[in-house]
Amino acid sequence: MAEYGISTGQRVVVIWDRSSPVEALKSLVDKLQELAGDESHVSVENINQLLQSAHKESSFDVVLSGLVPGSTTLHSTEILAEIARILRPGGQVLLKEPVETASVHEGKVKTAAKLCSTLTLSGLVEVKELQKESLTPEEVQSVQEHLGYQSDSLVSIQVTGKKPNFEVGSSTQLKLSFPKKNAVSEKPAVDPNAAKLWTLSASDMNDDGMDLIDSDELLDPEDLKKPDPASLRATSCGEGTKRKACKNCTCGLAEELEQEKVKEQKRSQPKSACGNCYLGDAFRCASCPYLGMPAFKPGEKILLSEKNLHDA
């Protein structure tokens, strides 16, 4: 049974679908049981019931699907993942499926490259195409009847793959060798001369032979003069017909313009004859333009309407 990769004593499952002729299915199962021996166990599973089956993980050594003569079985991503689940580590899967020779049709029939890629993504390794052949007249009729698909570029291929020698999610302890460390780490010896070189005591500061530098002597008379604010401004700051400080001004022009703005606002305020206008109506003259307005702080900007100015 070298063509299927079956050895004596292995558990085998044959997957079939509605396109599989009944007599051909029985003949294939009898052939497998005869060639594999009595110690082997051959199971038969419908592809539509595979996902609902009660098979445990790693139940079979070999999975054969779509190999019933005259059948045209298509394997979905879910079916291939289930096949990988029930396969034992190191087990083999052999399947046969009609594929497109060109990816011109966007249908449910895959290309050979797409089928191999899907098998790999399902968790199988060493995926490879064994053989490619034209569809038999029975297979062409089966594709049209059971798949509702018609194309002149269909061929039949056999693909094989293996499950890795470990289960998904399995773990093992890594054997790592590290150099042994001494129980007590010995510090390197310190050179006395090097330690003395970098040691500074209080007596060293009072040594007559040590020249100390006065920090004030490091400054020139020019360094003590207060700089002219104009010299600190940027070359482009305040240029133009309208004085305007730069963005994020740091030379003081922004504060200077703000003070000029406040002074201008104070000058634009109406002059008070008595100086008590800000206290309220009880302290205001009869002709005060602020009559009827609440008290305010001295220098606070107060907007007067044209009516109040005219009446005043």
Side-chain angles (χ1 to χ4, degrees):
M1 207 56 192
E3 56 178 326
Y4 296 132
I6 300 176
S7 301
T8 304
Q10 290 184 327
R11 293 178 59 86
V12 184
V13 59
V14 179
I15 301 176
W16 61 280
D17 67 349
R18 61 175 183 171
S19 67
S20 305
V22 177
E23 295 298 328
L25 175 61
K26 292 182 179 179
S27 177
L28 176 62
V29 173
D30 293 341
K31 183 179 180 180
L32 292 174
Q33 291 177 342
E34 179 181 354
L35 296 177
D38 297 335
E39 298 180 4
S40 297
H41 179 75
V42 180
S43 301
V44 180
E45 188 70 59
N46 185 278
I47 194 170
N48 296 324
Q49 302 297 325
L50 183 62
L51 297 177
Q52 288 78 31
S53 64
H55 297 301
K56 298 180 180 180
E57 294 183 359
S58 306
S59 300
F60 300 97
D61 299 290
V62 180
V63 176
L64 305 177
S65 181
L67 295 178
V68 179
S71 64
T72 53
T73 305
L74 296 182
H75 302 84
S76 64
T77 304
E78 293 77 10
I79 292 297
L80 295 178
E82 180 64 14
I83 290 176
R85 188 188 70 85
I86 64 176
L87 199 61
R88 288 179 179 176
Q92 182 179 5
V93 56
L94 178 64
L95 59 85
K96 183 178 179 181
E97 181 173 330
V99 297
E100 281 279 3
T101 56
S103 57
V104 293
H105 296 81
E106 294 295 337
K108 51 188 175 180
V109 179
K110 311 179 189 68
T111 61
K114 181 66 175 178
L115 177 58
C116 294
S117 175
T118 308
L119 279 168
T120 302
L121 293 177
S122 300
L124 301 180
V125 296
E126 300 182 21
V127 177
K128 57 184 177 180
E129 181 182 331
L130 295 181
Q131 66 180 22
K132 180 185 298 183
E133 57 187 6
S134 302
L135 297 180
T136 63
E138 293 80 7
E139 291 174 341
V140 173
Q141 183 179 0
S142 176
V143 169
Q144 297 176 356
E145 291 180 359
H146 299 96
L147 303 181
Y149 193 87
Q150 187 172 1
S151 175
D152 297 332
S153 59
L154 288 179
V155 295
S156 179
I157 66 169
Q158 287 189 16
V159 181
T160 183
K162 290 184 178 180
K163 187 173 182 178
N165 293 322
F166 55 85
E167 284 289 359
V168 176
S170 59
S171 62
T172 184
Q173 184 178 3
L174 298 178
K175 297 180 180 179
L176 303 177
S177 59
F178 297 97
K180 296 182 178 180
K181 297 182 179 180
N182 297 331
V184 179
S185 58
E186 298 179 357
K187 295 184 178 180
V190 179
D191 186 3
N193 296 328
K196 183 178 179 181
L197 179 64
W198 294 101
T199 303
L200 184 65
S201 62
S203 60
D204 295 332
M205 300 301 295
N206 297 327
D207 190 358
D208 296 337
M210 180 176 292
D211 296 332
L212 299 179
I213 300 176
D214 187 1
S215 59
D216 294 337
E217 296 179 357
L218 300 177
L219 298 176
D220 297 332
E222 294 294 332
D223 297 332
L224 302 177
K225 293 181 180 180
K226 184 177 181 181
D228 184 10
S231 64
L232 301 177
R233 295 179 182 175
T235 56
S236 60
C237 191
E239 291 184 353
T241 56
K242 185 178 180 181
R243 299 180 66 194
K244 184 178 180 182
C246 302
K247 186 179 181 181
N248 300 326
C249 178
T250 58
C251 66
L253 181 59
E255 291 79 2
E256 181 181 341
L257 294 178
E258 183 66 24
Q259 293 177 1
E260 293 179 359
K261 183 178 180 181
V262 173
K263 293 179 181 179
E264 183 65 25
Q265 291 177 353
K266 290 182 178 180
R267 286 196 297 266
S268 63
Q269 294 290 339
K271 300 295 183 179
S272 174
C274 61
N276 298 325
C277 299
Y278 69 92
L279 296 175
D281 286 347
F283 302 90
R284 293 169 181 164
C285 305
S287 61
C288 182
Y290 295 102
L291 283 175
M293 300 182 65
F296 54 87
K297 296 179 181 179
E300 184 179 357
K301 183 178 179 181
I302 304 298
L303 298 178
L304 298 175
S305 63
E306 294 292 337
K307 180 179 179 181
N308 292 344
L309 294 175
H310 181 72
D311 294 341

